[in-house]
Amino acid sequence: MTEITAFTVKEALQALETGQVSSLELTKAYLERIQRLEPALHAFITLTPDAALAGAKAADERRAQLKKAGAALPPLLGLPLAVKDVLCVKDVRTTCGSKILENFKPPFNATSVQKLLNAGVVVLGKTNTDEFAMGSSTENSAYGVTHNPWDTERVPGGSSGGSAAAVAACFAPAALGTDTGGSVRQPASFCGVTGIKPTYGRVSRYGLIAYGSSLDSVGVLGRSAEDVETIFRLMAGFDPRDATSLDRPVDEPGCAGAADLKGLRVGVPKEYFIEGIQPEVEARVREAIQVLAAQGAQIVEISLPHTSYALPVYYLIAPAEASANLARYDGVRFGLREENNGVIDMFMKSRGKGFGPEVKRRIMLGTYALSAGYYDAYYGQAQKVRTLIKADFEEAFKSVDVVAAPIAPTTAFKIGGHGDDPLAMYLEDVFTLPANLAGVPGLAFPVGFDAQKLPVGMQLMGRPFEERTLFRAAHVYQQATDFHKQTPAI
Ligand code: GLN
């Protein structure tokens, strides 16, 4: 029998339904595993074992009552879940990986979290993240780095590295992440798990502590396309508290009943297979595309001509938005307040001490790009080029249904491998940034390993609000392969 901590969401829900396990047993099993292995991985910033056990017990009682009454059960009743520490969970410390929010306990739940609590989940704790989700390795967390379960000397990716590591290490059957420029997909790729970055506006950002508001999205990481879709669908939908959430019904699941890919046109953009990409990454992605073809998909070479501009455009727009969003950490309303000699001194000391070096770099870059003399040359120009990147996708989606591409140029790199070179770290994001700039959905899933047995991922990007098509394709792929079923030996 599979160990219960290795269950997929689907298996866990079936086991809860048949009474094979209770939520309390399942939650205890995860907490024990976390206690044993967390020192080697550090996937969490905050664990909430007492609340989780109480929640699990309540879920078991509720199940018994509802069953007795013959009433319908909430779809995820009793399912343990990990949550990235940039999403507000009521009364649970939410740090964003930053010292400035070390003692911040939000008085409310993020809408994404609330919807899943309504569906019955039990929160195990808050996972590690680069400070304010700025990074690609989790090394920028003020609470220490997370280690990749496949090789603990390597990074898990970032910024949702704690969530990806937690799922890969079987600390939880699924975890919430966020993706502003690749932070769900790249760690999913580095840790060999499946993850969705939804269309901008599909999942409410209310209660997601803002980084780049025109780019931020809340996503899910899990062990299969099917699992990720189940949770994604329960989070999706209109929220009057997020002005950019769209009032549009949630699609029927794409995985259910998907048997082949006949009629699906898969575009392969030549700009994503460039010099500098690790040969094994390219090889695994091309093999995976062949699997899609064998399932009936038609493969078409396409061009997304402005791809190479995504990096400079993103690294102007994201820091610009960050500099505005992070202005609220001033020591006045919440967060760190240092001893001071007056208000200006308070701002300087609190922000100076509370923010780490990467966050300070971005605030300075962003403030510069927005400043009166440079706005047109940098921020304004970046917005124009962003439109061209979006137009590339619109053009491509006239002739193909999905775009298949690598996620990162390499597999997981060594902790400290990029030294103090911010540019080397930014280059990790070349293949993930375009989807955020264009607002389109992207689904990451494992497609094999390199020679060192490190996972390689691939992403499928789709038309806005067509997550369903991505899930369908990945599900068919996962029926034909078993890379997503492999787990690291830790
Ligand atoms: N690595 C990118 C950055 O540092 C993306 C991060 C994210 O998606 N949150 O901004």
Side-chain angles (χ1 to χ4, degrees):
M1 195 192 91
T2 338
E3 269 201 53
I4 60 177
T5 48
F7 279 160
T8 59
V9 168
K10 192 177 176 184
E11 288 164 347
L13 291 173
Q14 273 161 2
L16 289 165
E17 175 57 32
T18 60
Q20 185 198 335
V21 293
S22 66
S23 177
L24 192 60
E25 284 163 348
L26 195 55
T27 304
K28 275 188 179 159
Y30 283 119
L31 291 172
E32 273 162 26
R33 188 173 168 84
I34 293 167
Q35 199 182 20
R36 195 152 45 82
L37 298 172
E38 176 68 354
L41 297 181
H42 188 44
F44 287 90
I45 292 178
T46 305
L47 278 163
T48 52
D50 295 343
L53 292 170
K57 217 167 150 246
D60 287 332
E61 282 162 16
R62 189 143 170 240
R63 179 178 293 274
Q65 277 162 9
L66 290 171
K67 272 205 156 166
K68 207 163 148 203
L73 301 178
L76 304 179
L77 187 59
L79 183 80
L81 185 80
V83 177
K84 184 180 181 182
D85 205 22
V86 294
L87 288 161
C88 289
V89 176
K90 189 170 185 285
D91 299 330
V92 175
R93 185 168 86 119
T94 297
T95 70
C96 280
S98 182
K99 286 286 169 197
I100 212 158
L101 289 179
E102 188 165 15
N103 299 310
F104 173 59
K105 286 191 180 166
F108 66 99
N109 286 313
T111 298
S112 50
V113 171
Q114 186 62 56
K115 283 188 154 187
L116 296 181
L117 288 171
N118 296 346
V121 301
V122 171
V123 174
L124 294 169
K126 309 293 298 289
T127 56
N128 200 9
T129 168
D130 287 294
E131 186 173 3
F132 286 100
M134 296 175 192
S136 314
S137 68
T138 323
E139 291 168 293
N140 294 340
S141 169
Y143 300 91
V145 66
T146 296
H147 299 258
N148 190 315
W150 292 90
D151 175 349
T152 52
E153 286 177 17
R154 292 176 187 270
V155 302
S159 61
S160 312
S163 287
V167 173
C170 297
F171 286 176
L176 298 190
T178 62
D179 193 313
T180 302
S183 280
V184 163
R185 289 163 289 155
Q186 186 253 21
S189 176
F190 280 15
C191 291
V193 302
T194 302
I196 183 80
K197 172 243 172 273
T199 308
Y200 183 77
R202 177 72 291 187
V203 176
S204 169
R205 292 177 298 111
Y206 179 74
L208 157 61
I209 297 180
Y211 164 16
S213 301
S214 77
L215 303 153
D216 290 340
S217 62
V218 182
V220 188
L221 300 99
R223 275 190 242 301
S224 70
E226 224 180 351
D227 282 3
V228 170
E229 184 174 42
T230 299
I231 295 176
F232 157 73
R233 290 181 66 250
L234 290 164
M235 294 199 302
F238 177 61
D239 179 8
R241 290 179 166 134
D242 175 359
T244 62
S245 94
L246 218 82
D247 194 357
R248 181 188 157 114
V250 178
D251 284 332
E252 290 301 308
C255 294
D260 62 44
L261 298 178
K262 286 198 188 88
L264 186 79
R265 296 165 303 172
V266 178
V268 181
K270 58 172 192 277
E271 291 81 2
Y272 282 69
F273 296 88
I274 47 172
E275 235 190 87
I277 180 170
Q278 185 181 330
E280 294 150 300
V281 170
E282 172 160 357
R284 294 300 93 80
V285 170
R286 292 209 185 269
E287 286 157 17
I289 292 167
Q290 283 320 305
V291 174
L292 300 180
Q295 301 301 314
Q298 183 196 338
I299 312 300
V300 188
E301 170 148 335
I302 61 161
S303 172
L304 296 165
H306 297 92
T307 300
S308 65
Y309 296 104
L311 197 96
V313 166
Y314 174 88
Y315 277 100
L316 284 166
I317 293 177
E321 294 183 0
S323 74
N325 278 324
L326 271 56
R328 73 188 59 153
Y329 307 104
D330 53 10
V332 178
R333 286 158 294 180
F334 44 72
L336 183 76
R337 178 186 298 170
E338 282 291 285
E339 289 287 325
N340 60 77
N341 302 312
V343 70
I344 301 293
D345 191 51
M346 176 180 75
F347 294 161
M348 284 178 31
K349 286 201 177 125
S350 304
R351 289 169 69 81
K353 182 140 182 235
F355 290 136
E358 182 61 26
V359 171
K360 286 180 184 156
R361 179 180 298 121
R362 305 246 182 144
I363 292 173
M364 285 189 279
L365 279 172
T367 306
Y368 184 82
L370 288 173
S371 60
Y374 296 99
Y375 184 97
D376 289 339
Y378 292 116
Y379 184 75
Q381 200 69 6
Q383 290 292 12
K384 289 179 193 161
V385 183
R386 179 179 189 171
T387 308
L388 298 176
I389 292 167
K390 187 160 182 280
D392 279 358
F393 280 96
E394 283 161 5
E395 191 54 36
F397 288 132
K398 286 180 189 159
S399 56
V400 297
D401 304 301
V402 301
V403 171
I407 295 168
T410 65
T411 53
F413 49 91
K414 287 251 163 82
I415 292 172
H418 288 332
D420 288 332
D421 184 357
L423 213 58
M425 193 70 84
Y426 300 169
L427 282 167
E428 288 297 326
D429 306 334
V430 282
F431 299 145
T432 48
L433 305 173
N436 300 79
L437 291 167
V440 302
L443 179 65
F445 53 98
V447 294
F449 297 89
D450 71 3
Q452 303 181 74
K453 192 101 206 300
L454 297 170
V456 176
M458 176 170 94
Q459 61 178 329
L460 293 175
M461 293 173 276
R463 296 188 189 95
F465 300 98
E466 289 192 13
E467 283 85 359
R468 184 174 193 274
T469 311
L470 309 182
F471 284 120
R472 172 184 161 220
H475 181 63
V476 169
Y477 177 85
Q478 292 182 339
Q479 300 307 295
T481 56
D482 69 355
F483 300 119
H484 64 295
K485 292 192 179 146
Q486 310 212 14
T487 45
I490 23 164

